[in-house]
Amino acid sequence: MDHASRVYESILEMLPSEQNPSPLVRLNRLTPEGSELWAKLEWMNPFGSVKDRAASALIEAMERDGRLAPGRSIVEPTSGNTGLSLAAIAAVKGYGMRAVVPNKVPLEKKALLKLAGAELDVINDNLCPSPGMGDGAIGMARTHAKAQPDRYVMPNQYENRANVEAHIRTTGPEIWRQTQGKITHLFTSLGTCGTVTGCATFLKQQNPRVKIIAVQPSEGHDVPGIRNKNELHVTKLYDESLIDEVIEIDFERAYTGALELARHEGLLAGPSSGLIFEGARVVASREPVGMGVMIFCDNIFKYMSSMLKHLPALKEGTEA
Amino acid sequence: MSGYADTNVLVSTDWVKANLGRPGIRLVEVDVDTKAFDAGHIKGAVGFNWQTQLQDQVRRDIPTKAEFERLLSQAGVSNADTVILYGDNNNWFAAYAFWLFKLYGHKDVRLMNGGRAKWLAEDDKELTVEPTRVTPTTYSASEPDLSLRALVADVLAAVKTRSANLVDVRSPDEFSGKVIAPPGMTETAQRAGHIPGARSVPWASAVQKDGTFKSIDELREIYLKGAAVDPARPTIAYCRIGERSSHTWFVLRYLLGLKDVKNYDGSWTEYGSMVGVPIER
Ligand SMILES: Cc1ncc(COP(=O)(O)O)c(C=O)c1O
């Protein structure tokens, strides 16, 4: 495998690692004076998002402990990205894949999952906020795994430590190396929290003064993949002690932020990146950010229906 | 030890596991998500579809006595069986089914505390996709016990005379009239607000984080003290279509032991659509 020539025997060789990091790109026009912001472009991973890291680690962990073997299938609740990475890797390795997604997930993502060969269950999640354990997508995935244990295995990205370890092993070291240890701030979102917990664990070990800033959408948001802090009870991977600050941003700015990134930086980033960028901008306008790294989880293409909904002006002039 | 007024209406998930397959015990799953049962259910359970089996398919009404008898006969339920109901969404529709069983005079019916989600969360509890083989019975129901059911006339009388506790179990936004129904719901009403004199006690007030019911002391505090439900008076619980209110009806009638509690199954989709009735916001 030769990352310099970029010639590969299998798509899986393109998975990110310290030797094959996702790109780190500087923002040159939208950064407030006196700060430096860099975007880590996770959509450059082979299946298009940060979740390639968790998905490959989850599959490897299940192969190692024997729960996953040819002839068996993966079942997982997902807002789309994890499912897509899992489905693609499963296709390469010859496993089946069943994705359980909340109805709110945009159509592009549902269609992409089917395209990658996943069987799809669409669930009316958040029917009405009920206390405690949701039924929802997680419940349905768990139902399949419990009812057909000889057929399905559920990696459970919300509880599985392999999700965190993927970022301790890859994302964290990549950032440390790419910034030559100069990173001062890390900006991430909160989903399963694998990214934030893994990166923070690694980076704080290198330099405890690196500030970890989590950016969350305001309540009632519809940004797939990420959560507001009060929706975090579903994940066991959230470790508050590693996070210096949680910044809340009006969720509409996830979409306007994405638009600005495209128009002024040429970064075709998705809404969760737009939100992270807006959070970084708030911090940078308050204090100098020496070298801030933002995790841009995926790009905009699979969110066009959401973008059109939130920014109807994009539709104007698109028909003869 | 529970301290609940009626100690024979609730079983734990552990009890269900320990009694799986015992003759005379019938498990019935009732979910909001009608796909959940086929994806996996407790061994030996039959599934009822609330949309097609637990309401009349022509009129807006509960199933008739004959329809209920046919349903239970085909499900292999005998009059002497102990029926254990469970379902998703904290037993919303399981509680609605419980109400129907009581209405039609079934002697021994119980809810599995914590519902489907608690069973799912416990590692030692199994599910299956195997269809349950049933031997049809000849079930015979009693005439409906209307002391458990409020019709709109009962509600209007209660509004007029202020003689009953009215408990609105919907979300605060539905109660205040900010929304007519939770987002995405197909059954709604013409007007938003609540029945005059009703107290707002959202259904979820009755359950803990794991979906099981709160202790008797907490329930007394919430309903009798906090919401000032007077046990000496009749009580009517309502929601939007009568399923969340079945859950609260269960709490008031069986856990707190109030003597006269009715579930208003017409609920807001009926009341909030009537011409000329008083509404508060
Ligand atoms: C678009 C997007 N952004 C952010 C995240 C959050 O990452 P994590 O789950 O590691 O917290 C996800 C994860 O699902 C995602 O799909």
Side-chain angles (χ1 to χ4, degrees):
Chain A
M1 165 163 65
D2 176 7
H3 292 306
S5 70
R6 297 189 62 88
V7 174
Y8 297 103
E9 296 290 327
S10 148
I11 185 77
L12 299 186
E13 291 183 355
M14 281 178 63
L15 284 164
S17 66
E18 217 180 329
Q19 291 70 46
N20 183 36
S22 63
L24 192 65
V25 176
R26 185 176 162 140
L27 266 62
N28 294 307
R29 309 180 86 191
L30 291 176
T31 309
E33 280 258 331
S35 289
E36 235 180 68
L37 292 178
W38 295 74
K40 193 156 170 62
L41 305 191
E42 290 297 307
W43 66 76
M44 299 297 284
N45 293 327
F47 311 113
S49 82
V50 68
K51 305 309 293 225
D52 284 7
R53 301 175 188 270
S56 53
L58 291 167
I59 287 184
E60 280 160 26
M62 292 186 299
E63 287 172 334
R64 238 178 291 121
D65 65 24
R67 290 195 298 153
L68 186 59
R72 290 172 59 81
S73 291
I74 299 163
V75 62
E76 182 72 350
T78 164
S79 63
N81 278 335
T82 305
L84 185 58
S85 303
L86 286 171
I89 300 171
V92 174
K93 296 191 164 192
Y95 307 128
M97 171 72 198
R98 183 165 195 160
V100 188
V101 302
N103 196 25
K104 274 196 271 185
V105 166
L107 176 65
E108 293 94 318
K109 284 190 162 182
K110 293 177 195 159
L112 271 169
L113 283 163
K114 290 184 70 179
L115 180 140
E119 211 181 319
L120 205 60
D121 285 313
V122 180
I123 299 296
N124 263 324
D125 217 338
N126 290 338
L127 183 76
C128 186
S130 31
M133 317 155 304
D135 300 281
I138 298 178
M140 181 57 95
R142 206 187 290 259
T143 296
H144 289 305
K146 240 185 210 276
Q148 300 183 76
D150 47 343
R151 180 161 168 209
Y152 289 119
V153 54
M154 175 170 163
N156 200 348
Q157 55 172 333
Y158 296 97
E159 292 181 8
N160 197 321
R161 283 293 302 177
N163 180 358
V164 172
E165 278 149 23
H167 296 281
I168 298 180
R169 206 174 55 242
T170 65
T171 328
E174 287 172 35
I175 293 171
W176 189 248
R177 196 170 186 187
Q178 288 172 310
T179 64
Q180 297 170 326
K182 294 200 199 95
I183 176 173
T184 57
H185 296 69
L186 179 78
F187 299 95
T188 71
S189 52
L190 304 169
T192 63
C193 296
T195 306
V196 70
T197 302
C199 291
T201 301
F202 181 86
L203 292 171
K204 293 245 184 212
Q205 272 165 14
Q206 313 309 309
N207 175 5
R209 288 196 311 278
V210 175
K211 275 200 184 160
I212 310 295
I213 317 253
V215 188
Q216 64 168 347
S218 51
E219 269 184 76
H221 75 93
D222 61 353
V223 187
I226 60 176
R227 287 167 197 274
N228 181 282
K229 250 179 90 172
N230 57 26
E231 304 168 298
L232 279 183
H233 58 270
V234 301
T235 179
K236 296 215 168 105
L237 307 179
Y238 179 60
D239 181 352
E240 204 158 21
S241 71
L242 292 167
I243 296 175
D244 294 278
E245 189 179 348
V246 178
I247 290 192
E248 180 167 313
I249 299 285
D250 177 357
F251 72 85
E252 286 294 341
R253 288 175 62 191
Y255 301 97
T256 54
L259 188 75
E260 272 196 83
L261 285 165
R263 291 194 172 167
H264 301 288
E265 299 283 353
L267 292 171
L268 303 183
S272 79
S273 307
L275 192 86
I276 290 172
F277 162 65
E278 293 288 0
R281 193 139 78 159
V282 168
V283 174
S285 60
R286 186 184 73 192
E287 67 191 51
V289 171
M291 187 169 196
V293 172
M294 304 176 290
I295 307 286
F296 278 10
C297 300
D298 61 0
N299 61 19
I300 195 72
F301 300 114
K302 52 195 155 194
Y303 301 99
M304 284 317 293
S305 58
S306 319
M307 291 298 277
L308 289 167
K309 181 168 150 228
H310 288 271
L311 305 167
L314 288 174
K315 234 178 294 187
E316 285 167 21
T318 57
E319 268 165 60
Chain B
M1 286 309 113
S2 67
Y4 296 137
D6 191 327
T7 50
N8 289 319
V9 289
L10 264 185
V11 293
S12 67
T13 50
D14 287 337
W15 185 94
V16 171
K17 184 186 173 196
N19 287 281
L20 278 181
R22 236 185 68 198
I25 293 182
R26 277 262 145 223
L27 290 167
V28 180
E29 176 165 340
V30 194
D31 300 311
V32 178
D33 177 357
T34 48
K35 291 186 300 247
F37 178 84
D38 288 332
H41 50 263
I42 302 178
K43 197 169 177 213
V46 293
F48 287 168
N49 183 315
W50 68 271
Q51 285 164 321
T52 58
Q53 294 180 303
L54 297 182
Q55 50 186 328
D56 191 284
Q57 294 299 291
V58 181
R59 272 171 313 150
R60 180 170 180 202
D61 211 340
I62 58 173
T64 61
K65 177 169 173 277
E67 284 165 342
F68 192 73
E69 285 174 337
R70 196 172 329 122
L71 175 70
L72 294 205
S73 300
Q74 282 167 1
V77 178
S78 303
N79 287 74
D81 282 345
T82 296
V83 173
I84 310 295
L85 292 158
Y86 72 97
D88 63 4
N89 275 61
N90 282 277
N91 282 334
W92 283 1
F93 276 95
Y96 173 80
F98 181 100
W99 175 69
L100 282 181
F101 272 85
K102 284 291 186 191
L103 201 83
Y104 281 119
H106 193 85
K107 288 271 165 350
D108 190 356
V109 54
R110 308 172 191 212
L111 283 181
M112 184 173 86
N113 205 1
R116 190 175 206 286
K118 185 159 196 290
W119 183 273
L120 212 48
E122 292 172 346
D123 283 337
D124 64 328
K125 308 294 191 295
E126 294 176 355
L127 292 177
T128 181
V129 287
E130 252 170 65
T132 299
R133 256 185 281 153
V134 296
T135 316
T137 55
T138 314
Y139 189 89
S140 103
S142 316
E143 289 304 320
D145 176 358
L146 291 177
S147 73
L148 308 182
R149 186 185 196 197
L151 294 168
V152 71
D154 303 309
V155 177
L156 289 171
V159 171
K160 205 168 199 177
T161 58
R162 301 262 157 162
S163 56
N165 309 295
L166 285 164
V167 181
D168 184 319
V169 317
R170 298 171 302 160
S171 61
D173 281 353
E174 291 170 273
F175 183 80
S176 71
K178 195 172 155 201
V179 298
I180 297 184
M185 296 290 106
T186 40
E187 313 89 351
T188 78
Q190 294 299 316
R191 288 286 187 270
H194 57 261
I195 302 176
R199 305 280 159 75
S200 167
V201 193
W203 69 273
S205 316
V207 297
Q208 323 189 66
K209 265 221 153 75
D210 69 353
T212 59
F213 289 104
K214 286 182 180 163
S215 72
I216 184 69
D217 291 338
E218 288 170 292
L219 293 176
R220 278 196 193 111
E221 187 67 35
I222 293 162
Y223 290 92
L224 307 187
K225 276 232 189 91
V229 170
D230 178 0
R233 294 166 160 223
T235 301
I236 296 173
Y238 74 95
C239 60
R240 183 179 52 98
I241 56 172
E243 83 301 3
R244 284 176 289 177
S245 56
S246 306
H247 187 271
T248 296
W249 169 84
F250 176 87
V251 170
L252 294 168
R253 175 68 188 82
Y254 294 96
L255 304 186
L256 285 167
L258 270 57
K259 288 286 162 294
D260 181 358
V261 190
K262 289 181 168 65
N263 181 33
Y264 173 33
D265 57 306
S267 272
W268 193 254
T269 47
E270 177 177 50
Y271 194 93
S273 299
M274 302 244 309
V275 175
V277 298
I279 286 179
E280 248 173 36
R281 278 204 191 179

